[in-house]
Amino acid sequence: MTSRPATGPDRRAKIILDCDPGVDDTIAILTAARYGDLVGITTVNGNVSIDHTTRNALAVTQIANLDVPVHRGAERPLVAPVHGAARVHGLTGFGTVAHPELHRTQASDDAVGYLLDMSCGDDEIDLIAIGPLTNIALAIGRDPTFLSRWRSLTIMGGAAHGLGNVTAVAEFNIWADP
């Protein structure tokens, strides 16, 4: 996939973040909202269960007062067994930090449908996948032309030179749902 020219200096990039919020993706949500135009968040099972990743995304948007819809995604990998990272991120993904009482609710329980709809509506959106790629794979399964409609796709995954964080050659997101 080739990426189109970057947005101009006076325009913030439109971003949809596909993520599995633990502590790391919380920082990514805040960074995307600060430096881009965060138009949506989709969640996926990964660092912790889909219940926790979705709740965490809602908590972050609530605490930071971000008016961004959160769409619940895949609750398990396509083929592999569920592998979480609770040993790193804690049982809820937020370590030992207590969740606030939530006043926000998820926009839908169909992250894949949301991604497909958004890919058809605006070709100036950057899709950034920083969790397991399950939602992306399911979207491609529903529509093989899915990837061609984004301005760009950036993923956080892979390892080089024996520097994986799960095995010598595997980064968690790819290992969790290859």
Side-chain angles (χ1 to χ4, degrees):
M1 181 174 140
T2 60
S3 93
R4 296 183 193 117
T7 58
D10 57 335
R11 287 189 19 195
R12 293 166 27 125
K14 293 180 188 176
I15 297 169
I16 293 178
L17 199 57
D18 185 63
C19 55
D20 60 337
V23 176
D24 55 347
D25 291 6
T26 295
I27 301 301
I29 291 169
L30 296 172
T31 302
R34 169 65 177 92
Y35 294 104
D37 178 8
L38 183 59
V39 298
I41 297 170
T42 54
T43 61
V44 65
N45 177 84
N47 286 324
V48 290
S49 73
I50 191 65
D51 291 335
H52 289 303
T53 62
T54 303
R55 180 173 173 74
N56 293 349
L58 290 167
V60 172
T61 60
Q62 178 176 302
I63 291 166
N65 199 29
L66 302 175
D67 186 20
V68 177
V70 174
H71 300 266
R72 180 186 173 108
E75 66 183 50
R76 58 168 292 104
L78 294 178
V79 178
V82 172
H83 298 287
R87 71 189 184 293
V88 175
H89 295 275
L91 294 177
T92 68
F94 275 177
T96 59
V97 175
H99 281 89
E101 179 182 343
L102 281 181
H103 304 291
R104 295 193 179 197
T105 58
Q106 64 193 36
S108 80
D109 63 356
D110 186 12
V112 174
Y114 171 75
L115 290 171
L116 287 164
D117 288 347
M118 293 301 288
S119 74
C120 291
D122 185 343
D123 67 355
E124 288 300 313
I125 298 176
D126 297 304
L127 177 57
I128 302 175
I130 58 173
L133 299 174
T134 314
N135 291 334
I136 307 305
L138 290 169
I140 294 167
R142 284 195 206 171
D143 180 352
T145 67
F146 168 73
L147 290 179
S148 67
R149 294 190 300 269
W150 297 96
R151 190 174 81 85
S152 70
L153 168 64
T154 302
I155 69 167
M156 181 173 75
H161 310 291
L163 299 174
N165 65 358
V166 176
T167 72
V169 294
E171 181 275 334
F172 177 81
N173 293 329
I174 304 303
W175 176 80
D177 196 4

